[in-house]
Amino acid sequence: MTRTTRLAALAVGTALLAAACSSPGSNDSKPQPAPPTAPSSSSATQPAADAATAFKKIAAAVPSATGSTPVTADNDPNHLLGRPGKYTSKITFGDKTAAGKLP
């Protein structure tokens, strides 16, 4: 696995974990009802967050993140993009500060 691929996997995983952990919660032990949501026509056709959106957020916070390249089903080295139970979006990118520091 190349450094860029490892960095991309790490960054996407971190972004997804951060998004999952950042939902507002309550310290109260009673379950809270979910707030009502308005139906959206685009929510059925697009994932809540895709890799390009995640990279934009990462790049805004980490200016040394460079060279984003979207991955398609045709060029996915893992052949998992778009497969049932696998990932729906993927992007590779580098980080100038990591050059020469990763194994």
Side-chain angles (χ1 to χ4, degrees):
M1 196 185 302
T2 66
R3 288 183 196 167
T4 302
T5 304
R6 281 187 261 172
L7 270 174
L10 177 63
V12 170
T14 302
L16 292 175
L17 284 173
C21 294
S22 66
S23 63
S26 150
N27 290 335
D28 190 10
S29 61
K30 293 188 289 182
Q32 301 294 319
T37 58
S40 170
S41 61
S42 65
S43 66
T45 58
Q46 293 182 337
D50 63 359
T53 303
F55 176 74
K56 287 177 186 175
K57 290 180 180 181
I58 292 168
V62 183
S64 58
T66 60
S68 65
T69 306
V71 176
T72 66
D74 294 331
N75 68 4
D76 179 19
N78 300 322
H79 307 290
L80 300 175
L81 183 63
R83 298 190 67 142
K86 304 303 177 190
Y87 45 91
T88 59
S89 181
K90 181 178 176 181
I91 197 162
T92 60
F93 64 93
D95 184 342
K96 292 184 280 189
T97 60
K101 296 181 182 179
L102 295 175

